[in-house]
Amino acid sequence: MKTLITLLLLTISISSFSQAEKKKDSIIETYFNDLEEVIIVKKKETYVQKSDRMIFNVENSIVSEGGTALDVLARAPGVVVSQDGDLAIRGQQGVSVMIDGKLTQLSQKELANYLKSTTSSNIKQIEVITNPSSKYDAAGKAGIINIVMKKSPASGLKGTAFTNYARSRKNRTNSGLNLSYNKDKFGIFGNYSYTFRGEEERKLFNQIQYTEASRQEIATTNRQFTITDEPLTSNNFKIGTQYQVSPKTNLEMYIDAKIGRYENIANGGNILLDNNNQSLLDVATYNNSKENWYDYTYALSGVHKFNNEGRNMNFDLEYETSKFRSRQFQTAENTDDSNPNSINDRRGFIPSLLKVYTAKVDFTNPFQEKHTVEWGFKAGIKNNENPSLYEYYENNEWIVDLNSTNHFEYNEEIYAGYINYKYQLDKINFQAGLRSEYTAIVIDQKTLNEKYKSDYIKWFPSLSIKYDLADNHSFHASYSKRINRPNQFDLNPFRFYNDPFNYYQGNPNLIPEIADAAEIGYSWKNIVMATLYFNQTKDVFTEVYLYNPEENTTITTQVNVDKSYNYGTNITNTTKIYKWWSASTLFNIFENRYMGNTFNNDRITPIVTCNLNVQNSFTISETWKAEANAQYQSKSNVGIYVRDDFFDFSIGFSKQILDKKGSIKLNITDVFKTKNYNINSAIGQTSIDRRYNLDSRVATIAFTYRI
């Protein structure tokens, strides 16, 4: 009889679970009912496909433990990370990054350093949103990546403490603490993490200069090799409080600080050969770049419920100030006695001060039974000041380099408004919206006494529909228009040296990219999901390079080309092979096609690219689990470059201890050391082959304890 009652209670509990959909802040969803002590526990899948996004539950991935946010993004579905930290979704660059739903304002370099200094232990999940609604900022032609951090809503004192040690070519370590205390109407939360990341990379650049554009006869060959030592140290902390002003009004305020330093010590060489393979130049190079940043964000947000039917208002006020300091020293010593030429030492002082003011308000208004209107406004004001100073050493004194030194100031204002309509029937979910953004930009080249001004207004429609054909079948379709604006680094026309022979130069004439994206998809039982997608982008940013044979320097910059097309199909499958073995497979095949004049080339040869990601989870026992993750991508276009194929295989094990309050995890990423970043290109009279031997094989042991 007891067994029969227990089975009956389980049946009722499962039935009530199947009719409920709740969101919890844990990888384990727990549902309670009033029938004695029966508890049904459902574990979240590592990858979850929604109609508008793919969700990667990071806290459920053993392989991701002990890494950084940038490491985790490299394992997110459809996301590829370049050697410099650039992000791409489905093979397309131009990605916006949000932290807990708030758009980051950092430059690409600053963002890469921040992601490298953010531990994966603080990340709950990654959301890859390819076709956002008009409620989201229109920035990011390829879509939005939202990094959701861990946060406990439970009452009382809760938290986690973690520490880990890793070894690649250098040592890495990370430790931190997350705490929250909630009682009645009041709550306080905070976290702190310390990160040290040692890294060594090995680079080999080969460059051939031809006598003419048909590239039949070699004029010179340039070979550069570099070994870098790149220690990064960061201290990140966040502290905040929540208060329930009334049963319908809640407020939250916090301070978020990111303080860090990074150094790039590079030793290498540069050899220049003529068409007879005779040495024209042979130098030993040394580059030391030291960077420090101090980033503080002060935020106040709140929500007010007007009634119990879902009518509410949310607001956010935010101020961010970021100080960035870079000091560079470069030297090159001629080791060829037959060549009397010498190369001047160089040094640079590159400070930057960023200030961002953001205000946003959103309203949700349900009316009748199945209709909802969302609308809101957002204002953002950004100021970035960059007084850079470069000097070279000549005749026993440091002389200001007027070709590189510049006082650059960038001012940007964006004012946006949107309206979004939702309609829900039993089997149909419909959503349509329109967003308008007014942008005003002022670029002040104070050194040259030159100003660039531009302002424009753009409209961004969005549309999505989901139709449930039956209990196990559904279809969805969506469309959105998006924008990718050049940042202050892209627009600054003065030089940023990587070493004495390579520098980047911004282009103040860059105009924004405008993208139209559409996709249709099918889902069966949330087990098999397939999507066809298409993206057309006008005025595409394309990185180009120009070789100066007289100075043996390569200049890299960006230009606009007419348009590009990105199209393909994405298939996701989640299968429970055995009771103890489940697998998630993500397959993406796509092609990038660029159209436009780039150094007298009217197009870049497109490449069909396949990306396959297979994640296997194994339950060995109640307390032992294992994971194996494999990713392969064939050759692909990266603007004017072609990236070689790569393969990554990673494994991990976890063991629960201390009455399941603690866990020990061991993982090894890139076991076979096959995740290298190799690119090559040939445009005009120059061909380039760049090979990066990345520090990607890392063994990590991590300990986490739940308080």
Side-chain angles (χ1 to χ4, degrees):
M1 178 63 70
K2 184 176 181 180
T3 302
L4 180 61
I5 294 175
T6 302
L7 289 174
L8 179 60
L9 295 178
L10 285 170
T11 302
I12 296 173
S13 299
I14 293 172
S15 175
S16 64
F17 161 75
S18 67
Q19 298 176 35
E21 182 180 351
K22 300 183 181 180
K23 295 182 179 179
K24 298 291 180 182
D25 194 38
S26 170
I27 63 171
I28 300 296
E29 294 180 353
T30 307
Y31 296 84
F32 298 87
N33 62 19
D34 296 330
L35 301 176
E36 299 186 11
E37 296 183 351
V38 177
I39 301 174
I40 301 299
V41 178
K42 179 180 180 291
K43 179 182 174 183
K44 287 184 181 178
E45 300 291 344
T46 302
Y47 299 109
V48 179
Q49 175 73 62
K50 300 291 186 180
S51 61
D52 65 338
R53 68 193 65 191
M54 174 71 81
I55 298 174
F56 173 30
N57 287 305
V58 177
E59 56 187 349
N60 199 25
S61 173
I62 301 170
V63 169
S64 299
E65 186 70 28
T68 69
L70 200 62
D71 298 329
V72 170
L73 286 175
R75 303 187 185 284
V79 178
V80 173
V81 181
S82 78
Q83 184 269 344
D84 295 318
D86 288 322
L87 303 174
I89 298 176
R90 294 172 173 174
Q92 190 174 38
Q93 294 179 314
V95 179
S96 289
V97 176
M98 298 193 303
I99 310 294
D100 285 332
K102 297 181 180 179
L103 196 66
T104 58
Q105 301 293 338
L106 302 175
S107 69
Q108 185 274 325
K109 183 178 180 62
E110 293 168 332
L111 178 62
N113 281 338
Y114 168 64
L115 295 175
K116 286 180 181 179
S117 64
T118 301
T119 173
S120 62
S121 300
N122 284 336
I123 300 174
K124 175 188 174 186
Q125 62 188 30
I126 303 291
E127 297 178 343
V128 181
I129 311 171
T130 53
N131 254 355
S133 73
S134 61
K135 187 174 182 177
Y136 292 89
D137 289 83
K141 67 171 184 180
I144 295 174
I145 293 176
N146 184 29
I147 302 174
V148 181
M149 310 302 285
K150 291 179 181 177
K151 190 175 179 181
S152 175
S155 60
L157 179 65
K158 301 292 182 181
T160 58
F162 59 88
T163 186
N164 61 70
Y165 168 78
R167 176 71 188 181
S168 54
R169 292 171 180 149
K170 303 286 185 177
N171 291 323
R172 303 180 183 186
T173 185
N174 175 256
S175 298
L177 180 68
N178 300 297
L179 286 175
S180 67
Y181 177 78
N182 297 290
K183 185 176 181 181
D184 300 329
K185 298 180 178 182
F186 176 77
I188 187 170
F189 59 89
N191 61 65
Y192 168 78
S193 66
Y194 166 82
T195 299
F196 173 79
R197 175 188 172 95
E199 187 172 8
E200 177 187 303
E201 292 189 357
R202 300 161 187 174
K203 307 173 184 179
L204 180 62
F205 295 175
N206 290 319
Q207 187 165 295
I208 299 175
Q209 181 74 9
Y210 296 90
T211 57
E212 29 66 44
S214 62
R215 298 190 290 274
Q216 298 298 315
E217 184 178 347
I218 294 176
T220 58
T221 301
N222 186 234
R223 297 174 183 169
Q224 300 178 45
F225 55 91
T226 308
I227 297 178
T228 68
D229 182 12
E230 304 178 39
L232 180 149
T233 304
S234 73
N235 292 272
N236 296 347
F237 69 86
K238 182 177 182 179
I239 185 168
T241 182
Q242 299 168 321
Y243 181 68
Q244 185 180 6
V245 180
S246 71
K248 294 185 177 181
T249 305
N250 290 276
L251 295 177
E252 176 179 301
M253 59 186 302
Y254 66 82
I255 300 174
D256 189 3
K258 299 176 278 287
I259 303 170
R261 63 180 183 268
Y262 167 76
E263 189 170 6
N264 188 319
I265 306 167
N267 288 281
N270 187 300
I271 301 173
L272 181 65
L273 306 172
D274 63 15
N275 58 350
N276 294 317
N277 222 28
Q278 299 297 312
S279 175
L280 298 174
L281 184 70
D282 190 347
V283 299
T285 60
Y286 172 80
N287 179 74
N288 189 335
S289 177
K290 297 180 180 179
E291 300 175 0
N292 295 81
W293 60 90
Y294 308 86
D295 187 279
Y296 302 94
T297 300
Y298 308 88
L300 172 66
S301 62
V303 57
H304 175 71
K305 299 179 181 179
F306 293 100
N307 55 35
N308 296 325
E309 283 73 46
R311 185 172 175 231
N312 59 60
M313 177 196 71
N314 294 268
F315 75 88
D316 290 278
L317 300 173
E318 189 173 280
Y319 168 64
E320 179 180 3
T321 176
S322 178
K323 293 181 180 180
F324 178 83
R325 299 288 184 269
S326 175
R327 301 171 64 91
Q328 295 182 353
F329 176 76
Q330 299 167 351
T331 185
E333 180 183 356
N334 193 348
T335 60
D336 187 353
D337 296 334
S338 64
N339 191 331
N341 295 329
S342 62
I343 301 171
N344 294 323
D345 292 347
R346 298 183 57 84
R347 68 182 183 184
F349 306 91
I350 312 170
S352 175
L353 177 61
L354 173 70
K355 295 180 180 179
V356 183
Y357 303 86
T358 306
K360 184 178 70 167
V361 60
D362 299 290
F363 295 89
T364 302
N365 293 280
F367 63 97
Q368 296 182 358
E369 184 179 354
K370 302 182 182 297
H371 305 266
T372 302
V373 172
E374 299 173 324
W375 58 283
F377 304 96
K378 182 179 180 181
I381 301 174
K382 179 193 297 185
N383 172 266
N384 182 254
E385 195 162 359
N386 180 207
S388 60
L389 172 65
Y390 281 101
E391 299 174 319
Y392 60 89
Y393 194 71
E394 188 173 81
N395 298 326
N396 297 320
E397 65 175 331
W398 288 101
I399 301 171
V400 175
D401 184 354
L402 298 178
N403 291 324
S404 305
T405 296
N406 182 44
H407 191 169
F408 175 86
E409 186 174 0
Y410 177 84
N411 291 281
E412 175 188 272
E413 297 180 19
I414 300 177
Y415 302 97
Y418 76 91
I419 185 168
N420 198 49
Y421 167 72
K422 294 181 178 180
Y423 176 64
Q424 183 172 350
L425 282 173
D426 293 336
K427 294 186 177 182
I428 296 178
N429 290 308
F430 175 80
Q431 187 174 181
L434 181 64
R435 186 181 186 90
S436 177
E437 294 188 353
Y438 169 77
T439 305
I441 295 174
V442 178
I443 300 173
D444 190 358
Q445 294 283 351
K446 295 186 177 182
T447 303
L448 300 178
N449 196 25
E450 294 179 353
K451 280 191 176 183
Y452 304 84
K453 294 184 179 181
S454 67
D455 66 287
Y456 51 86
I457 186 168
K458 300 289 184 182
W459 299 86
F460 303 98
S462 65
L463 178 69
S464 69
I465 185 170
K466 183 181 179 183
Y467 177 65
D468 294 316
L469 184 62
D471 292 340
N472 297 328
H473 303 272
S474 66
F475 294 89
H476 76 270
S478 61
Y479 162 80
S480 67
K481 180 184 286 288
R482 305 192 59 74
I483 188 172
N484 194 38
R485 301 176 180 89
N487 61 38
Q488 59 269 24
F489 182 76
D490 299 326
L491 296 169
N492 193 336
F494 278 72
R495 301 174 182 177
F496 299 86
Y497 280 85
N498 296 317
D499 59 51
F501 302 98
N502 294 274
Y503 64 85
Y504 178 87
Q505 189 169 26
N507 178 4
N509 297 313
L510 278 179
I511 60 175
E513 302 174 294
I514 302 294
D516 292 274
E519 65 178 59
I520 58 173
Y522 164 77
S523 174
W524 176 68
K525 288 186 176 180
N526 287 325
I527 295 176
V528 176
M529 303 161 195
T531 302
L532 292 171
Y533 57 88
F534 176 84
N535 183 301
Q536 175 186 274
T537 305
K538 297 180 180 179
D539 301 314
V540 185
F541 299 161
T542 302
E543 184 178 283
V544 295
Y545 54 83
L546 180 64
Y547 178 69
N548 184 340
E550 295 179 359
E551 300 179 358
N552 188 34
T553 56
T554 299
I555 307 165
T556 302
T557 189
Q558 289 197 82
V559 298
N560 290 107
V561 297
D562 291 344
K563 63 180 65 175
S564 71
Y565 301 99
N566 168 261
Y567 43 85
T569 183
N570 187 76
I571 301 173
T572 304
N573 173 247
T574 301
T575 305
K576 198 164 189 67
I577 301 174
Y578 294 104
K579 183 179 180 180
W580 49 271
W581 177 13
S582 63
S584 296
T585 303
L586 299 95
F587 176 73
N588 185 29
I589 181 169
F590 63 90
E591 182 177 87
N592 291 323
R593 186 177 293 268
Y594 296 85
M595 312 293 290
N597 189 291
T598 307
F599 285 86
N600 299 318
N601 291 339
D602 60 356
R603 67 178 61 195
I604 300 169
T605 303
I607 298 175
V608 176
T609 303
C610 297
N611 182 284
L612 179 65
N613 190 318
V614 181
Q615 190 268 340
N616 295 275
S617 298
F618 306 94
T619 301
I620 301 172
S621 69
E622 186 179 354
T623 58
W624 276 96
K625 291 181 173 58
E627 182 180 321
N629 194 331
Q631 182 183 26
Y632 170 77
Q633 179 166 300
S634 62
K635 282 189 176 183
S636 60
N637 290 105
V638 185
I640 63 171
Y641 299 99
V642 174
R643 178 176 180 175
D644 288 351
D645 60 335
F646 66 89
F647 176 71
D648 174 25
F649 179 73
S650 303
I651 58 174
F653 301 89
S654 72
K655 165 69 174 175
Q656 289 183 321
I657 59 175
L658 304 176
D659 293 328
K660 297 185 179 181
K661 288 187 175 183
S663 67
I664 296 177
K665 297 182 180 181
L666 171 67
N667 66 63
I668 303 175
T669 60
D670 194 15
V671 174
F672 302 114
K673 195 66 181 66
T674 50
K675 192 180 180 181
N676 294 323
Y677 186 79
N678 303 325
I679 58 174
N680 59 82
S681 178
I683 59 173
Q685 295 179 222
T686 308
S687 69
I688 285 180
D689 181 71
R690 297 180 177 178
R691 300 187 172 272
Y692 300 83
N693 188 338
L694 304 179
D695 199 356
S696 55
R697 181 162 55 194
V698 185
T700 304
I701 184 167
F703 170 73
T704 303
Y705 182 77
R706 296 195 311 276
I707 299 172

